[in-house]
Amino acid sequence: MSASGVRARVRAEMTDEIKAVARRHLATDGANLSLRAVARDMGMASSAVYRYFASRDELLTAMIIDAYNSLGEAAEQAAQGAAGKATGKEAGKEAAEQNGKTELDRFLAATHAVREWALADPHQWALIYGSPVPGYQAPQDTIGPATRVILLIADIVKSAYDSGRIAERPPITGQFAEELRVVADNYAAGTPPRAVAAALSAFLHLSGAVSSELFGQLNKSVEEDRRGFFEFQMRGAAFLIGLTDNL
Amino acid sequence: MSASGVRARVRAEMTDEIKAVARRHLATDGANLSLRAVARDMGMASSAVYRYFASRDELLTAMIIDAYNSLGEAAEQAAQGAAGKATGKEAGKEAAEQNGKTELDRFLAATHAVREWALADPHQWALIYGSPVPGYQAPQDTIGPATRVILLIADIVKSAYDSGRIAERPPITGQFAEELRVVADNYAAGTPPRAVAAALSAFLHLSGAVSSELFGQLNKSVEEDRRGFFEFQMRGAAFLIGLTDNL
DNA sequence: GCCATAACGAGAGCAGTGCTCTTGCTTTTT
DNA sequence: AAAAAGCAAGAGCACTGCTCTCGTTATGGC
């Protein structure tokens, strides 16, 4: 039918369904999902899947991108919600009036959102922040979505700098000060290099905390109040980058 | 020959050789090493390997234990070296006399050793701190060696507490204070709960920093002076846990 | 409307995987 | 010396990613 329509649409639907089934398999089988298994699951030959994804790696790449975006969106929404701009539901209560949430609040909201996203689907977290599969080389398409959450943190830090709600921290010393300036100008011109370093540092702390909890590094240690321990960690990170004065 | 000797010895040699070959394969193929391939590599049938390791998982477990121990040893030696007890080589210079290295020095030495160990063999790091393989459940044998480096950090922190070279930090609040005490008494009686939390926190920061660098999370960001960035991170962690006063 | 073209789905097939079982052989134990 | 246990090899099963071929179906140009 309609000129450039049917074929393309069913194709898009197919790729989406494949990804959906694959995501379901991912939740049980982890990163070594079987292309044949997902093909079986949707009643088609394994070879037919190759019409939509050139290889298993390409399927994984697509899911990685989706995961990055999903995570980034979750973090952004949480940070936005904490900033006072409640999205829809609780709009009338005390949202728009009180916009005085600090950057610390936004940071904590975002990091908690990241953690909860990871807890809700550990395999998806492992897919993007776990050890990469051996032969796999992350293509260019992934680096965009990958930086979303780290850019969010950078934005929060930058906001703190702009509004002056940032604690004094010693300047960067060492040879990577200049390097940081390049990165800063690359991503968001005007962001002080110190803010970039802070964002990187905080993100690193965040990923370590989530991964350790998920992958069972701190096995029996913290069992009961993992959320509390995580918050403790993130407050430490926030202090280090100057988002708060009191540790 | 000698009663209970030959068979057992060649068996031990065999398992060692298998692990050695597997380790070599790990460096190229990553975590999905092929049992058949290592069997081929040492000129024996794949089924023969099963005389020494009941399954591929068991082989991996053995290598994980080895990796944990190797990493732990590297960290311990570095910390020990930084504490003044130079092992052999530079014994006469100024080692035994000046034992005044601070806990910060030991901490930094240990963490750098961990990073360098990981850089030297990324796949081995991925094996123990990367995302676990789906079906794999870490057996009891691994949790001992696994805690070596974190116990080392705990020991450093405890030493700082004992000698009073620790900065004041606010007490633990929240419901996990009591839990920490249990953990502390479990691992090393007498260690203040705050020290346990500090060790966990620092380790978490450490693993996040190493993993992020290894797995290419901070892709182009920090490229030149990664060691400097790492040290920057670890000094931050040291400050958070009270090993130093100046950030 | 016709027809070449391209996309599609299915099946067979290849090389490789983990793992089991059976079959001989050698070493150790009794 | 006989019995038991350890060992290595091969065949085989079910599975994997991926390629190729072969009909079928929809799309776009004339």
Side-chain angles (χ1 to χ4, degrees):
Chain A
M1 315 285 175
S2 60
S4 69
V6 174
R7 212 75 191 249
R9 214 197 55 209
V10 308
R11 181 175 177 83
E13 285 173 0
M14 272 301 244
T15 62
D16 278 357
E17 190 178 344
I18 291 177
K19 286 199 289 184
V21 175
R23 191 154 27 241
R24 235 172 48 215
H25 277 215
L26 198 69
T28 64
D29 299 349
N32 54 0
L33 59 79
S34 157
L35 231 161
R36 293 179 104 114
V38 315
R40 247 193 321 265
D41 234 38
M42 44 195 302
M44 67 196 297
S46 66
S47 56
V49 180
Y50 284 84
R51 297 275 170 202
Y52 302 92
F53 297 95
S55 71
R56 183 174 159 278
D57 272 6
E58 201 174 293
L59 212 193
L60 283 183
T61 297
M63 310 194 61
I64 286 176
I65 293 178
D66 284 6
Y68 271 129
N69 280 326
S70 167
L71 173 61
E73 196 162 349
E76 284 165 16
Q77 275 192 352
Q80 191 167 311
K85 296 162 84 174
T87 53
K89 293 212 168 186
E90 331 164 340
K93 303 208 68 169
E94 55 173 343
E97 298 89 354
Q98 177 151 336
N99 205 338
K101 294 297 180 65
T102 70
E103 278 79 16
L104 175 63
D105 293 326
R106 289 177 65 201
F107 175 74
L108 288 179
T111 54
H112 268 117
V114 167
R115 171 175 176 269
E116 274 149 24
W117 182 93
L119 286 180
D121 200 337
H123 291 97
Q124 226 162 5
W125 171 271
L127 194 62
I128 55 184
Y129 289 121
S131 48
V133 294
Y136 183 78
Q137 182 67 10
Q140 212 67 5
D141 315 358
T142 64
I143 69 166
T147 50
R148 252 176 97 162
V149 41
I150 197 170
L151 279 187
L152 170 65
I153 297 181
D155 186 63
I156 294 176
V157 177
K158 176 165 157 44
S159 159
Y161 268 83
D162 289 347
S163 64
R165 277 191 301 273
I166 192 92
E168 270 300 327
R169 291 290 176 267
I172 297 273
T173 65
Q175 42 193 116
F176 67 100
E178 185 55 32
E179 192 176 0
L180 281 178
R181 177 167 304 280
V182 176
V183 176
D185 289 348
N186 242 6
Y187 279 140
T191 310
R194 192 62 176 74
V196 175
L200 284 175
S201 173
F203 170 77
L204 195 138
H205 207 151
L206 166 63
S207 86
V210 174
S211 284
S212 290
E213 178 174 348
L214 240 61
F215 299 160
Q217 240 71 52
L218 33 101
N219 232 343
K220 308 200 210 170
S221 307
V222 183
E223 193 65 48
E224 290 291 331
D225 188 17
R226 292 190 160 170
R227 201 193 124 93
F229 183 67
F230 179 79
E231 169 124 3
F232 176 68
Q233 295 300 326
M234 290 304 103
R235 285 191 179 273
F239 175 88
L240 272 187
I241 63 180
L243 287 188
T244 177
D245 265 337
N246 38 358
L247 193 53
Chain B
M1 317 281 177
S2 61
S4 69
V6 174
R7 211 80 194 243
R9 213 199 56 208
V10 309
R11 181 177 177 83
E13 283 174 0
M14 272 301 244
T15 63
D16 278 357
E17 189 178 345
I18 292 176
K19 285 199 290 184
V21 174
R23 190 152 31 237
R24 235 172 47 215
H25 277 213
L26 198 71
T28 64
D29 300 347
N32 55 359
L33 59 79
S34 157
L35 232 162
R36 294 179 105 114
V38 315
R40 246 192 322 265
D41 232 39
M42 45 196 300
M44 66 197 296
S46 67
S47 56
V49 180
Y50 284 84
R51 296 271 166 202
Y52 302 92
F53 296 95
S55 71
R56 183 174 159 278
D57 271 8
E58 201 173 294
L59 213 194
L60 282 183
T61 297
M63 310 194 59
I64 285 176
I65 293 178
D66 284 7
Y68 272 130
N69 279 325
S70 167
L71 173 62
E73 197 162 349
E76 285 167 15
Q77 274 192 354
Q80 192 167 311
K85 295 161 83 174
T87 53
K89 294 210 169 186
E90 331 164 339
K93 302 206 68 168
E94 55 173 342
E97 297 90 354
Q98 177 150 337
N99 206 337
K101 295 296 179 65
T102 70
E103 279 79 16
L104 175 63
D105 294 327
R106 290 178 64 199
F107 176 75
L108 289 179
T111 53
H112 269 116
V114 167
R115 172 175 175 268
E116 274 149 25
W117 183 93
L119 286 181
D121 200 337
H123 290 98
Q124 225 161 8
W125 172 271
L127 194 62
I128 56 185
Y129 289 122
S131 48
V133 295
Y136 182 79
Q137 181 67 9
Q140 212 68 4
D141 316 358
T142 64
I143 69 166
T147 51
R148 253 177 97 164
V149 41
I150 197 170
L151 280 186
L152 170 64
I153 297 180
D155 186 63
I156 294 176
V157 177
K158 177 167 156 43
S159 160
Y161 268 82
D162 289 347
S163 65
R165 277 192 299 273
I166 191 91
E168 270 300 327
R169 291 289 175 269
I172 298 273
T173 65
Q175 43 194 114
F176 66 101
E178 184 56 32
E179 192 177 1
L180 281 178
R181 178 167 304 279
V182 175
V183 177
D185 290 348
N186 243 6
Y187 280 140
T191 308
R194 192 62 176 71
V196 175
L200 284 175
S201 172
F203 170 77
L204 197 136
H205 207 149
L206 166 63
S207 84
V210 174
S211 284
S212 290
E213 178 173 348
L214 240 61
F215 299 159
Q217 240 70 52
L218 31 103
N219 232 344
K220 308 200 211 170
S221 308
V222 184
E223 193 65 49
E224 290 290 331
D225 189 18
R226 292 191 160 169
R227 201 192 123 95
F229 184 66
F230 179 79
E231 169 124 2
F232 176 69
Q233 294 302 325
M234 288 306 102
R235 285 189 180 275
F239 175 88
L240 272 187
I241 65 182
L243 287 187
T244 177
D245 265 338
N246 37 359
L247 193 53

